[in-house]
């Protein structure tokens, strides 16, 4: 029975790669992605000087902390509250884009009090004002009729036509209502230059929560407002990669490179995308160019080490495994505290059958609190299992499962399944066949 092991360098994303089999143990080293971890931006509050400034800065800081702790509901509450407070700090003359996603209701816009009463027209989706035209509307505007959102498709002097999947007058027929209240969107004026980092952090938390549609809408709006903000392009690329939209993902990377040709983040993301597609030559070329451009940045060296490990997963040639050692060792020579390189060397030792050095390295990395703790727990548990430390292995497996179950973030694909399989192996080796 094979035990899949998923050891991750988690910068902004967790990328499961090909599994390599060694006896009972399988190793997988994911690619390096962009720094800093999760790309949470630091907000500069110097532009605001009102009483609520201190409060929204605190809420923004709490949101970043809750995201780091995987408490996504609390992170969303705090970042939303920060943006709501910013509404009080902005001048009345400013305006923001009216987002269409429901996730943004109460954050970037709200619904007005009823501005008119409307009655059903002759055609489906047609509404006639019960009185004079109260507000100027445009095609494409979203309005609320009887608490149901409609998209305006055409205008006339007496009313408007719209689309909605529901017929509101059918819904209200039981109460005998002949007219329904019309509400329009009211801008909260908090999508501004001063809230750039807050809005980006909000999008990051939405993305981590699995609400990628809302996150994408906000990233696109941020990119339109600030075309040089390349982090938005890279996050959109990541979302599209995870959805399997490779062409769209590549397009967003290309846009980032157009803005900043020397962007290390964009080039590493491009190399990662090639690596996912098993286009090893293209990935190596991109990463080599990045190493030549900036020899101080450890990320491309780590990424090349990961690349050779993936090549080794397919070739099983000693020279490819030795190249993984070369790059991890080079990073550690420059920075002895680099936990990602130490993790890679731990996997290298396990591939070579040197389980005690592997166990010691992975133990130290785990104690350092690396963000990919679930994968390191399982790596360390697998090594303990091979060494006959079955009790220690089971404790680590249980720790992984407990963390994943309690965490709000969606687990890596296959992580829970592989951990249960490993638990079954540990129970089998300890003679508890029925439990296994």
């Amino acid at each position: 029975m094979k035990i899949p092991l998923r050891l991750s360098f988690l910068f902004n994303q967790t990328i499961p790669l090909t599994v390599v089999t060694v006896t009972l143990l399988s190793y997988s080293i994911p690619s390096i992605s962009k720094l800093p971890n999760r790309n949470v931006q630091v907000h500069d509050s110097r532009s605001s000087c009102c009483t609520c400034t201190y409060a929204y800065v605190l809420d923004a800081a709490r949101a970043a902390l809750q995201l780091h702790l995987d408490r996504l509901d609390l992170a969303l509450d705090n970042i939303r509250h920060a943006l709501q407070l910013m509404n009080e700090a902005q001048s009345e003359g400013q305006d923001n884009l009216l987002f269409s996603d429901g996730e943004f209701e109460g954050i970037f816009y709200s619904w007005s009090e009823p501005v008119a009463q409307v009655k059903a027209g002759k055609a489906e989706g047609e509404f006639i004002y019960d009185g004079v035209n109260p507000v100027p509307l445009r095609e494409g505007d979203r309005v609320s009729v009887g608490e149901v959102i409609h998209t305006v498709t055409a205008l006339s002097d007496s009313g408007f036509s719209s689309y909605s999947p529901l017929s509101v007058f059918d819904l209200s027929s039981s109460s005998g209502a002949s007219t329904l209240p019309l509400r329009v969107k009211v801008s909260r004026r908090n999508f501004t230059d001063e809230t750039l980092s807050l809005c980006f952090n909000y999008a990051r938390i939405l993305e981590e929560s699995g609400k990628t549609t809302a996150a994408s809408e906000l990233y696109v709006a941020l990119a339109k407002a600030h075309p040089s903000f390349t982090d938005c392009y890279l996050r959109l690329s990541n979302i599209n990669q995870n959805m399997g939209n490779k062409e769209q993902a590549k397009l967003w990377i290309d846009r980032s490179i157009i803005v900043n040709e020397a962007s290390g983040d964009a080039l590493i993301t491009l190399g990662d995308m090639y690596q996912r597609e098993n286009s090893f030559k293209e990935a190596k070329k991109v990463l080599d160019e990045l190493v030549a451009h900036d020899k101080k940045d450890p990320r491309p060296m780590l990424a090349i080490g990961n690349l050779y490990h993936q090549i080794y997963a397919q070739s099983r040639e000693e020279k490819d495994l030795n190249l993984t050692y070369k790059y991890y060792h080079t990073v550690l020579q420059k920075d002895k505290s680099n936990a990602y390189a130490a993790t890679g060397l731990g996997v290298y030792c396990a591939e070579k059958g040197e389980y005690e050095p592997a166990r010691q390295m992975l133990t130290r990395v785990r104690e350092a609190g690396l963000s990919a703790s679930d994968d390191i727990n399982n790596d360390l548990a697998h090594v303990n299992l091979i060494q006959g430390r079955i009790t220690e292995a089971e404790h680590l497996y249980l720790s992984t499962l407990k963390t994943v179950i309690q965490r709000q973030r969606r687990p890596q694909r296959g992580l829970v399944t592989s951990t249960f399989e490993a638990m079954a192996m540990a129970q089998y080796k300890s003679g508890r066949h029925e439990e296994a």
Side-chain angles (χ1 to χ4, degrees), residues 372-425:
S373 57
D374 298 336
D375 301 309
I376 295 170
N377 270 355
N378 280 5
D379 286 356
L380 188 55
H382 294 340
V383 173
N384 279 323
L385 185 57
I386 285 179
Q387 290 183 310
R389 305 171 186 265
I390 297 176
T391 301
E392 291 90 333
E394 285 195 65
H395 286 164
L396 288 166
Y397 293 138
L398 288 172
S399 174
T400 299
L401 292 171
K402 181 179 178 180
T403 302
V404 170
I405 291 171
Q406 291 180 343
R407 181 190 301 147
Q408 294 173 341
R409 192 187 312 275
R410 291 182 300 175
Q412 303 170 45
R413 185 183 305 169
L415 176 63
V416 174
T417 302
S418 64
T419 304
F420 274 117
E421 288 177 351
M423 274 286 293
M425 173 61 76

Side-chain angles (χ1 to χ4, degrees), residues 7-9 338-348 362 365 370 376 379:
L7 180 148
S8 290
F9 300 145
N338 192 300
Y340 302 102
T343 305
L345 284 182
V347 170
Y348 166 82
L362 293 173
V365 173
L370 199 62
I376 295 170
D379 286 356

Side-chain angles (χ1 to χ4, degrees), residues 110-128:
S110 58
W111 292 104
S112 68
E113 292 297 319
V115 296
Q117 294 289 321
V118 294
K119 53 188 177 182
K122 295 180 180 180
E124 184 174 353
E126 182 183 2
F127 294 99
I128 306 300

Side-chain angles (χ1 to χ4, degrees), residues 54-166:
Y54 184 64
Y56 85 72
V57 170
L58 279 179
D59 278 328
R62 290 191 190 102
L65 177 61
Q66 299 295 356
L67 173 62
H68 180 73
L69 297 174
D70 290 318
R71 299 171 181 171
L72 301 182
D73 287 345
L74 291 175
L76 278 173
D77 287 344
N78 280 293
I79 199 70
R80 284 169 174 164
H81 191 240
L83 284 164
Q84 288 167 347
L85 289 175
M86 278 300 297
N87 182 51
E88 303 172 15
Q90 303 303 322
S91 67
E92 290 296 322
Q94 293 175 318
D95 204 354
N96 67 283
L97 300 174
L98 293 181
F99 296 95
S100 61
D101 198 285
E103 291 291 338
F104 301 137
E105 183 176 345
I107 307 301
F108 296 116
Y109 71 86
S110 58
W111 292 104
S112 68
E113 292 297 319
V115 296
Q117 294 289 321
V118 294
K119 53 188 177 182
K122 295 180 180 180
E124 184 174 353
E126 182 183 2
F127 294 99
I128 306 300
Y129 295 120
D130 188 23
V132 296
N133 183 350
V135 289
L137 296 178
R138 296 174 298 179
E139 291 186 14
D141 284 353
R142 291 164 70 86
V143 297
S144 172
V145 179
E147 308 301 329
V148 176
I149 297 175
H150 291 66
T151 301
V152 177
T153 57
L155 299 169
S156 68
D157 293 337
S158 58
F160 60 91
S161 297
S162 63
Y163 169 77
S164 174
L166 298 175

Side-chain angles (χ1 to χ4, degrees), residues 3-7 19 25-28 347 375 378-380 382:
I3 302 176
L5 178 148
R6 301 160 61 89
L7 180 148
V19 172
L25 192 62
S26 297
Y27 300 92
S28 175
V347 170
D375 301 309
N378 280 5
D379 286 356
L380 188 55
H382 294 340

